Amino acid sequence: MTRNKQDGQRRLGAGRRLLGAALAALLSAGAAAHQTTLYVGMNGGDMARAFSQHVFPDFERAHNVRIVVVPGMSTEVLARAQADKGKPRLHLMFLDDGVMARAISMGLCAQLNDDPVLKDLYPTALKKDRMAAGIDIGMTGLGYNTKVFAERGWAPPTSWMDLADPKYRGQVVVQSASSSTFGLHAFLMINRILGGDDRNYGPGFAHWPTVVGPNVREYLPDSARLADMVQADEAVLFPWTPTAITRLKKRGVHVEYAQPREGSMILMVGECVVAGNSEPELSQKLALYLLSEQAQTKALEMGGHFPSNRNVLAPAGHAEALQRFQGYMSNAKIPNWDQINETRPAFNARWNREIGR
């Protein structure tokens, strides 16, 4: 073979390789050009990282979509969806259960497609008429300072009414019921124990100031300072969630969770498909995927989010925590958010006037 022919064949081979690379690039660009983007409004921080890095990718690969988190607190996500009503930019919303009830009442949520996975959920996780479903279930019970309890020889708390025990005078910390779901849950449970319900707050307002009030060291606007107050032994007994307490224990904070015998109160993050969004079919598929064993196992393992799907098996290192959670669920109570939201502005004003001040 002459040198000219060899050179020609080399050039031909190189040309073919270049052509192949160009075609691959074109095909890749074409696929990217047709890739759909879904926008999910949800809490930022640890939850967004866990879902973006570990839960969403399987769905993105299976459906050639890109999922973008639009971070914000539940009230901010709701406000964004309300402002965009009629031409929504979000496809899915993750909202705390109280805020979710408001979103449904505003017509911002589309009914979830009927699917076998819905039968795998805890009954408390599926909203009426399939308008939303829980993806992360928690509960509010009692947290306590194990160091102070041990020093004083106290047994762990067992009832919501322990908040009224005189031995805790000046050592109870409560998040304000007008701004925090944790504090609201504590008030609602005390109110129920005293004979009220989620529409009749009379017993709670009549007795809290004299029964629980004397024990309260401080009403906090949220839980941001609570860990520091526990470490400084300024907070001895307080409403909080087992998930939050587990995270503090991993940081070495002397704290533990106690399940009140009357039951904890369900605290759920739910999802709903945004009504009228630009990709209804894909949005429904994403919503149902997030309720699956596959998705919720990853959310539990990588983010500590307790599943709403009863068939989720605990991954390595999470068996004990999941078993405890399932035990807490056995007598957990559900707040009636429709009734609560009907009078929430009046409730908040009364709390701030009579108690929170």
Side-chain angles (χ1 to χ4, degrees), residues 219 351-357:
Y219 291 104
W351 170 273
N352 292 334
R353 184 175 64 251
E354 298 181 15
I355 296 176
R357 63 183 175 81

Side-chain angles (χ1 to χ4, degrees), residues 37 42 62 155 166 215 246:
T37 300
M42 63 184 294
N215 289 350
T246 297

